[in-house]
């Protein structure tokens, strides 16, 4: 199927080759850079020893603790580690310890962050949680970038006098965390692009949108820790870290609630399958393909959440029917009947407590596409594709289903959504029809 679909979009073979190269080379390049930096840092530190070992140990323990308590993200999301990131940033920015100038350089900074991160991430690696290698590589490169920019300012006497205190120091503490966070966002989007092949622009936009929230908390805490230790010594570490630790634990509770909420919606969506109204796995396939098409079209954040919930529950109106639709294929029904089922579904969704935007998408999924919001256009196209391509329809297969969607782009389906679906399918998507 993929090879045939590649011919449906101009220059598809060339683009697919480029995507394959990017998928392989981007993570490899990031890993090589992080690995070279780690080897150099450890070699230098082992050869020359630790400068101020008590401070190095204290910050290493702090970073390890931050990595140990991270977690709680849903599948496909990046697990946050704000305490570990703040500790690593603080050690990089640390110019004084209890009024005395610090002497650790770039390599020692990276080595301490590496050892602390590995110690805290070990339990997660044992449980195979998340992409630990991506997380560690990003952390090392971001810290290396910050250390190269910051540590020389504290090393030379002339630069220390200029930047070690006063307005110059304040400017460094304000500018450098922002640049480090931006560096991490770019790396994260690059790795996600290589892993998922989703468009780079929306991925980077998602990362940049997160910076004023969690990113600002990490940067602010890192700066406060560095300033607190500069004045009060290492005793300032626990005082400065408690607020962010509480925040991180609160996020884990919030993520657990979100996971339960999503599981409840997924279970409710399966009611039509259990009742025999729709084929097994239909709602899940429509949700997965809708999310992929939504990312292809530039949706992100809460827009994708609304799209996923609406795609999962798009057929729930069939539970209100006296006579079930044959094999649940609403795309084959007259338009009037499709709209009636959509309105019934919207009424049910409004009783579940989900955001009103989800009910709007469900209600309007059968309207002419020029009158629909974009999520409703996506759900309509993907639902029709799964109906036409599976065992519930007489279509000869995915290619025939895609061609029939293209024939309906004058009124029923938005052409851009149909072509985005074709691009997603060419990269491989969930199997259509009743295969689950």
């Amino acid at each position: 199927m993929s090879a045939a679909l590649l011919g449906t979009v101009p220059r598809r073979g060339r683009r697919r080759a480029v995507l394959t190269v990017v998928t392989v080379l981007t993570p490899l390049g990031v890993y090589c850079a992080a690995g070279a930096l780690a080897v150099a840092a450890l070699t230098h530190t082992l050869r020359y020893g630790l400068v101020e070992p008590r401070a190095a140990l204290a910050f290493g323990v702090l970073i390890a603790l931050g990595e140990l308590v991270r977690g709680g993200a849903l599948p496909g999301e990046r697990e946050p580690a704000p305490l570990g990131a703040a500790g690593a940033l603080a050690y990089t920015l640390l110019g004084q310890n209890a009024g005395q100038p610090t002497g650790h350089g770039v390599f020692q900074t990276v080595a301490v962050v590496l050892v602390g991160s590995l110690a805290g991430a070990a339990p997660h690696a044992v449980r195979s949680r998340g992409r630990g290698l991506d997380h560690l590589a990003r952390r090392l490169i971001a810290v290396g970038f910050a250390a190269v920019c910051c540590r020389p300012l504290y090393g030379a006497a002339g630069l220390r006098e200029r930047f070690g205190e006063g307005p110059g120091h304040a400017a460094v503490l304000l500018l450098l965390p922002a640049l480090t966070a931006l560096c991490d966002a770019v790396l994260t989007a690059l790795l996600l692009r290589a892993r998922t092949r989703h468009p780079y622009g929306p991925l980077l936009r998602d990362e940049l949108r997160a910076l004023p929230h969690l990113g600002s908390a990490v940067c602010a805490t890192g700066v406060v820790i560095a300033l607190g230790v500069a004045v009060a010594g290492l005793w300032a570490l626990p005082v400065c870290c408690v607020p962010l630790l509480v925040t991180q634990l609160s996020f884990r509770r919030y993520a657990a609630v979100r996971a339960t909420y999503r599981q409840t919606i997924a279970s409710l969506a399966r009611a039509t399958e259990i009742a025999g109204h729709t084929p097994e796995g239909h709602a899940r396939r429509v949700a997965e393909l809708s999310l992929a098409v939504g990312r292809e079209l530039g949706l992100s954040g809460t827009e994708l959440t609304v799209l996923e919930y609406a795609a999962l529950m798009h057929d729930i109106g069939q539970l209100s029917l006296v006579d079930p639709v044959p094999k649940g294929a609403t795309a084959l029904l007259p338009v009037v009947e499709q709209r009636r089922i959509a309105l019934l579904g919207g009424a049910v969704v409004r009783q579940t407590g989900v955001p009103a935007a989800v009910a709007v998408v469900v209600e309007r999924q059968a309207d002419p596409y020029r009158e629909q919001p974009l999520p409703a256009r996506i759900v309509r196209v993907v639902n029709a594709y799964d109906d036409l391509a599976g065992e519930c329809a007489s279509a000869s297969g995915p290619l025939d289903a895609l061609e029939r969607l293209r024939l309906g782009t004058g009124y029923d389906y938005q052409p851009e959504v149909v072509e985005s679906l074709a691009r997603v399918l060419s990269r491989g998507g969930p199997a259509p029809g009743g295969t689950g």
Side-chain angles (χ1 to χ4, degrees):
M1 179 186 73
S2 297
L5 285 173
L6 288 178
T8 64
V9 181
R11 301 179 181 176
R12 179 58 51 79
R14 195 183 312 169
R15 291 178 58 189
R16 186 181 181 89
V18 172
L19 283 175
T20 302
V21 172
V22 170
T23 301
V24 174
L25 293 185
T26 299
L28 184 61
V30 173
Y31 295 159
C32 288
L37 181 61
V39 170
L42 289 176
T43 302
H44 182 277
T45 304
L46 290 174
R47 180 176 181 180
Y48 296 102
L50 285 173
V51 178
E52 301 174 359
R54 289 183 57 200
L57 177 61
F59 277 93
V61 170
L62 173 63
I63 295 168
L65 176 63
E67 291 293 321
L68 188 63
V69 301
R70 74 180 172 92
L74 294 177
E77 295 183 350
R78 178 160 56 102
E79 288 189 356
L83 186 57
L89 181 62
Y91 191 59
T92 305
L93 297 175
L94 189 65
Q96 293 184 339
N97 183 358
Q100 299 298 318
T102 57
H104 60 278
V106 174
F107 287 131
Q108 179 171 319
T109 302
V110 175
V112 169
V113 172
L114 172 63
V115 174
S117 299
L118 288 175
H124 301 289
V126 171
R127 293 192 295 266
S128 299
R129 296 177 56 182
R131 296 190 180 277
L133 194 58
D134 286 3
H135 173 79
L136 181 61
R138 290 194 341 264
R139 171 70 57 78
L140 291 181
I141 292 176
V143 167
F145 166 80
V148 168
C149 294
C150 178
R151 297 315 307 173
L153 302 180
Y154 298 133
L159 292 176
R160 187 196 302 269
E161 293 178 359
R162 183 173 181 180
F163 294 99
E165 57 185 14
H169 190 204
V172 170
L173 293 181
L174 290 175
L175 180 61
L176 191 57
L179 293 177
T180 304
L182 182 61
C183 173
D184 183 66
V186 171
L187 282 175
T188 302
L190 280 173
L191 289 172
L192 286 175
R193 165 64 171 165
R195 297 293 186 191
T196 64
R197 299 189 179 183
H198 296 151
Y200 179 74
L203 293 175
L204 180 59
R205 186 166 63 245
D206 274 353
E207 295 299 323
L208 295 179
R209 284 178 176 174
L211 292 184
H213 307 290
L214 186 61
S216 62
V218 170
C219 293
T221 304
V223 171
V224 169
I225 292 174
L227 293 176
V229 174
V231 175
L234 298 177
W235 293 105
L237 281 180
V239 176
C240 297
C241 294
V242 166
L244 197 59
L245 179 60
V246 172
T247 300
Q248 188 157 336
L249 295 176
S250 298
F251 175 82
R252 295 188 65 176
R253 293 177 60 90
Y254 168 72
V257 171
R258 286 178 59 208
T260 303
Y261 186 63
R262 187 186 180 282
Q263 291 171 1
T264 301
I265 291 177
S267 299
L268 181 61
R270 291 197 68 240
T272 57
E273 300 173 11
I274 295 172
H277 290 279
T278 56
E280 180 70 22
H282 172 72
R284 175 184 56 80
R285 290 191 302 272
V286 172
E288 290 177 0
L289 268 178
S290 295
L291 285 175
V293 173
R295 291 189 181 97
E296 188 79 15
L297 292 170
L299 298 184
S300 60
T302 56
E303 297 170 321
L304 288 176
T305 301
V306 169
L307 176 60
E308 180 186 18
Y309 291 171
L312 284 170
M313 296 193 289
H314 74 280
D315 268 334
I316 203 167
Q318 295 195 43
L319 294 175
S320 302
L321 300 179
V322 176
D323 298 320
V325 178
K327 297 186 179 180
T330 55
L332 306 178
L333 296 175
V335 174
V336 174
E337 187 65 14
Q338 291 184 36
R339 291 180 181 175
R340 186 173 78 87
I341 295 174
L343 290 174
L344 290 172
V348 173
V349 171
R350 291 184 185 277
Q351 303 302 316
T352 64
V354 301
V358 177
V360 171
V361 173
V362 174
E363 289 172 343
R364 303 187 62 184
Q365 62 178 304
D367 293 350
Y369 77 80
R370 293 178 178 84
E371 302 174 9
Q372 293 174 312
L374 181 56
R377 300 177 187 181
I378 295 172
V379 171
R380 183 172 191 181
V381 167
V382 175
N383 174 61
Y385 168 78
D386 198 75
D387 283 347
L388 294 171
E391 297 175 355
C392 58
S394 60
S396 63
L399 289 176
D400 189 17
L402 201 57
E403 187 62 29
R404 292 176 66 175
L405 291 179
R406 288 194 173 106
L407 293 175
T409 54
Y411 180 80
D412 295 324
Y413 312 115
Q414 185 180 16
E416 293 81 1
V417 176
V418 175
E419 296 309 313
S420 295
L421 174 62
R423 290 193 293 270
V424 170
L425 292 173
S426 72
R427 299 193 294 263
T435 59

